[in-house]
Amino acid sequence: MCGIVGYIGRRDVAPLLLEGLQRLEYRGYDSAGVVITGKTGDLRVVKAKGRVRELQARVPKRFAGTTGIAHTRWATHGKPSDLNAHPHLDNDEKVAVVHNGIIDNASELRARLVAEGAELVSETDTEVLAHLIARSAAETLEQKVRDALRSVEGTYGLAVLHRDFPDRIVVARNGSPVVLGIGEKEMFVASDVAALVAHTRQVVTLEDGEMATLKADDFRTYTTEGSRTSATPTTVEWEAESYDMGGHDTYMHKEICEQAEAVDRVLRGRIDDRFATVRLDGLNLDAREARGVRRIKILGCGTSYHAGQIGAQLIEELARIPSDAEPASEFRYRNAVVDPDTLYLAVSQSGETYDVLAAVQELKRKGARVLGVVNVVGSAIARESDGGMYVHAGPEVCVVSTKCFTNTVVAFALLALHLGRVRDLSVADGRRIIAGLRKLPEQIEQVLKTEPDIKRLATHFADARSMLFVGRVRGYPVAREAALKLKEVSYVHAEAYPASELKHGPLALVEPAMPTVAIVPDDDLLEKNRAAMEEIKARSGRILAVAHQEQEKADHTIVVPKNEDELDPILMGIPLQLFAYHTALALGRDIDKPRNLAKSVTVE
């Protein structure tokens, strides 16, 4: 959510900032703004409700400068408007601030500032920061920002310009990502490397409680208390081309079509044929410690939570370790019992999801062992965890997750196989699962070739105002994720239920106007699933089945290739990603930027 871009150097800053904002559009936003330090040192601001293109249209032709910061806002305090858009300035227009996060005590600070004579013009929590910095009597900008932050409770990733200090940008982080980009006699700052990789791949990621000063030819990092910190730049593995659309009409379609290659990438170099297992050195968990695990708890939000549900089933089936998944947003508030024999897995595409990160921090405080399952190298959850796995899906730009979901489930299959072979899974079963994993990329390509048929089905069902998704055991998390995808991208209401629960309430909804999508794998529950479809047909319900063979009771069947029973959920979810995509396309939705949603949820 929200995006920050900043630059200081020799180049004309406005085009760089606008380009950076465009690369961050996938994060979700409702307004945008830019501020530059003009040639006379004054701060020049342009803001606009709506897309970056609206902002770009307002930027005057003469808007020259070599230092500036910019922002895309996702409304929390105050409705989307020009006035509430960032950057925010103090009354004398000396200080400009862009901010991601939430200031929890903003109301208290606002009342204090008004009592002192400040005139706040927006509804945002961020504006108080500009006034606090401006009112500090400190001699340096760094100390002014530090003074302001001492009054603040909440989360922030922020960047600050000051008219009296035109040679620098000061940034700070607490709970919201801030990444520095190191160039040749130029420096960048952003909330996401996507805004940086077109110009530099050398980055420094700030830790919570850390600040930085950027000048054109140098940078330094330090704590909010003023102590210097050491920062060694790392190289980002993704290139600018990874963020291009690659000839596709949308990022969502591109990312769905990249899944065969992405799965091959997560498998590459990890399979150990000699011992019928996999190598996962990043877990930092030796065989003795792995055998000592008595329970596994998987924490994620949204799509990551659904991937965790499939992961829990894989671990129970292959490693015989009791496992379950729970929304991190619920876990962190329910005062859960933290068992020293439980291994906790934190799942996040961005590695910055606030609810997951907060759960990790609470678990670490209580002495738990936490492993991260993330896509972004060097992200906050990766750094805070004791070890983990990168899922190597590559950049995912569309707000709705597709290839990262698939790669996360494959990563869980690798973990389940690893834990199973450490424990009681036979060599024969290990080889069986490895063979199944190796077949996945080719089978994904087979599924993708059925897109024209799926498009016709999506167009056929696009008039439905609501849909029901059902599955049993392995199929239920697939149903949940498929229902979420349809809701996210097409705005069609969808609910997912275990097929076994139909007669306990949801059957009341079944009628011709409410179609059902049934997940029907060829496993030991095939006849049970067919019985559920009988119940739906008896009530005149329309059925779209996703199965390994044509289903007589379904009105339409999407046939997917058969893999090992444990791995079937990986393949069965992919056609339903395409179904959601083409439903949204038929309804004219903004596919890459669904309303009200953001890619990386870094606030509560």
Side-chain angles (χ1 to χ4, degrees):
M1 293 196 304
C2 302
I4 289 174
V5 185
Y7 173 83
I8 184 168
R10 298 177 177 178
R11 291 195 265 175
D12 187 16
V13 70
L16 290 174
L17 296 177
L18 291 168
E19 176 204 9
L21 292 183
Q22 287 169 341
R23 290 188 175 274
L24 295 183
E25 285 190 288
Y26 74 93
R27 293 174 70 94
Y29 70 104
D30 47 52
S31 59
V34 58
V35 57
I36 67 169
T37 301
K39 291 182 179 180
T40 60
D42 58 315
L43 300 179
R44 302 182 64 193
V45 183
V46 181
K47 304 197 286 186
K49 176 186 173 183
R51 298 300 186 194
V52 173
R53 60 178 176 267
E54 273 88 34
L55 172 67
Q56 194 164 15
R58 291 190 183 184
V59 173
K61 290 182 179 179
R62 294 185 177 181
F63 198 64
T66 58
T67 302
I69 54 179
H71 191 266
T72 51
R73 175 179 185 255
W74 193 80
T76 54
H77 292 66
K79 64 185 179 181
S81 69
D82 291 357
L83 200 60
N84 287 332
H86 298 211
H88 288 286
L89 279 68
D90 70 304
N91 294 144
D92 295 329
E93 298 188 349
K94 280 190 171 185
V95 177
V97 177
V98 294
H99 164 236
N100 291 350
I102 293 178
I103 305 303
D104 294 331
N105 61 334
S107 296
E108 172 190 328
L109 293 173
R110 176 180 286 267
R112 190 183 91 193
L113 287 165
V114 169
E116 293 173 357
E119 295 181 17
L120 281 77
V121 297
S122 78
E123 302 170 90
T124 70
D125 55 338
T126 300
E127 190 182 359
V128 301
L129 289 168
H131 288 273
L132 289 171
I133 294 167
R135 285 169 177 267
S136 168
E139 295 184 355
T140 67
L141 178 54
E142 291 81 355
Q143 187 59 50
K144 288 176 184 290
V145 174
R146 198 177 293 126
D147 286 350
L149 294 180
R150 289 198 184 102
S151 303
V152 166
E153 297 172 10
T155 58
Y156 51 80
L158 59 90
V160 181
L161 294 182
H162 196 295
R163 190 171 67 197
D164 296 341
F165 304 92
D167 65 335
R168 68 194 62 194
I169 302 172
V170 172
V171 300
R173 169 186 175 143
N174 182 49
S176 192
V178 176
V179 184
L180 313 182
I182 315 304
E184 185 67 30
K185 294 186 178 179
E186 60 184 3
M187 296 290 166
F188 303 82
V189 63
S191 52
D192 189 313
V193 294
L196 305 177
V197 290
H199 305 287
T200 180
R201 294 173 63 195
Q202 296 296 302
V203 303
V204 170
T205 302
L206 295 191
E207 302 283 352
D208 281 348
E210 198 169 20
M211 296 174 60
T213 298
L214 282 69
K215 296 185 177 181
D217 57 357
D218 190 22
F219 76 96
R220 60 187 176 93
T221 61
Y222 43 93
T223 68
T224 50
E225 300 304 315
S227 303
R228 288 293 297 267
T229 59
S230 60
T232 303
T234 59
T235 302
V236 177
E237 62 180 21
W238 300 336
E239 298 182 357
E241 292 76 16
S242 302
Y243 293 91
D244 293 336
M245 213 169 285
H248 295 263
D249 292 331
T250 65
Y251 282 108
M252 183 178 182
H253 191 261
K254 172 180 182 272
E255 288 155 12
I256 290 172
C257 292
E258 288 176 337
Q259 289 178 102
E261 178 186 349
V263 168
D264 180 70
R265 194 161 50 239
V266 75
L267 296 175
R268 198 176 303 155
R270 285 173 161 171
I271 292 175
D272 182 348
D273 287 303
R274 181 183 177 190
F275 295 106
T277 187
V278 293
R279 291 185 293 269
L280 299 173
D281 297 334
L283 297 180
N284 298 329
L285 190 73
D286 63 30
R288 183 182 296 274
E289 291 169 323
R291 289 191 64 86
V293 173
R294 293 290 172 263
R295 186 175 184 85
I296 289 177
K297 168 74 77 173
I298 303 173
L299 302 173
C301 295
T303 288
S304 293
Y305 165 50
H306 297 155
Q309 287 187 302
I310 300 175
Q313 291 183 3
L314 282 162
I315 292 167
E316 286 205 341
E317 289 186 290
L318 298 179
R320 307 307 298 157
I321 301 173
S323 305
D324 71 300
E326 181 177 348
S329 49
E330 292 293 301
F331 176 86
R332 58 181 288 234
Y333 283 119
R334 68 174 182 83
N335 196 26
V337 175
V338 176
D339 186 341
D341 294 329
T342 296
L343 178 65
Y344 295 87
L345 304 178
V347 191
S348 167
Q349 184 278 140
S350 66
E352 304 283 353
T353 308
Y354 184 76
D355 283 311
V356 182
L357 179 59
V360 170
Q361 292 168 339
E362 176 69 3
L363 286 166
K364 295 292 292 179
R365 187 183 69 81
K366 293 182 176 179
R369 189 180 194 115
V370 184
L371 303 183
V373 182
V374 301
N375 190 39
V376 179
V377 175
S379 54
I381 291 169
R383 297 196 309 273
E384 296 255 2
S385 300
D386 297 297
M389 297 182 292
Y390 289 115
V391 305
H392 298 303
E396 194 173 60
V397 176
C398 180
V399 168
V400 301
S401 178
T402 52
K403 66 176 180 176
C404 195
F405 169 78
T406 299
N407 267 38
T408 301
V409 176
V410 174
F412 275 123
L414 295 173
L415 177 61
L417 175 57
H418 170 73
L419 294 173
R421 290 291 293 122
V422 166
R423 298 162 79 91
D424 302 316
L425 189 72
S426 68
V427 170
D429 275 333
R431 288 176 177 156
R432 175 177 63 83
I433 296 299
I434 286 172
L437 289 168
R438 282 188 164 132
K439 286 193 294 187
L440 284 172
E442 181 181 350
Q443 290 181 316
I444 290 170
E445 291 287 7
Q446 292 177 40
V447 173
L448 295 176
K449 288 177 182 177
T450 67
E451 182 175 1
D453 296 328
I454 296 170
K455 180 179 180 179
R456 283 192 292 272
L457 289 169
T459 304
H460 175 73
F461 284 103
D463 63 342
R465 294 176 61 88
S466 185
M467 295 189 75
L468 187 64
F469 288 74
V470 298
R472 281 179 182 264
V473 187
R474 297 186 189 101
Y476 177 49
V478 176
R480 295 194 70 179
E481 173 60 13
L484 177 62
K485 282 291 151 288
L486 189 67
K487 282 183 282 195
E488 286 180 310
V489 75
S490 74
Y491 320 149
V492 173
H493 173 256
E495 289 191 69
Y497 279 92
S500 55
E501 286 288 295
L502 275 173
K503 54 188 170 293
H504 297 293
L507 270 179
L509 297 173
V510 172
E511 59 176 343
M514 184 172 181
T516 298
V517 176
I519 316 301
V520 190
D522 274 0
D523 58 15
D524 54 355
L525 294 174
L526 177 59
E527 294 307 319
K528 296 287 188 184
N529 282 317
R530 284 175 169 164
M533 287 194 289
E534 290 270 14
E535 291 181 311
I536 294 166
K537 292 305 292 182
R539 289 153 180 84
S540 302
R542 292 186 291 160
I543 300 175
L544 169 61
V546 179
H548 294 122
Q549 57 182 294
E550 290 286 342
Q551 295 299 312
E552 181 182 347
K553 292 300 177 183
D555 297 275
H556 309 274
T557 304
I558 299 172
V559 177
V560 299
K562 182 79 176 82
N563 200 298
E564 300 301 323
D565 287 354
E566 298 92 336
L567 303 179
D568 280 333
I570 298 168
L571 293 167
M572 302 194 90
I574 292 171
L576 293 172
Q577 295 173 352
L578 285 168
F579 181 80
Y581 172 80
H582 283 291
T583 301
L585 199 64
L587 295 171
R589 307 307 191 205
D590 189 349
I591 287 174
D592 285 335
K593 297 182 275 291
R595 67 187 184 197
N596 303 331
L597 299 180
K599 181 65 175 174
S600 181
V601 184
T602 55
V603 296
E604 290 191 77

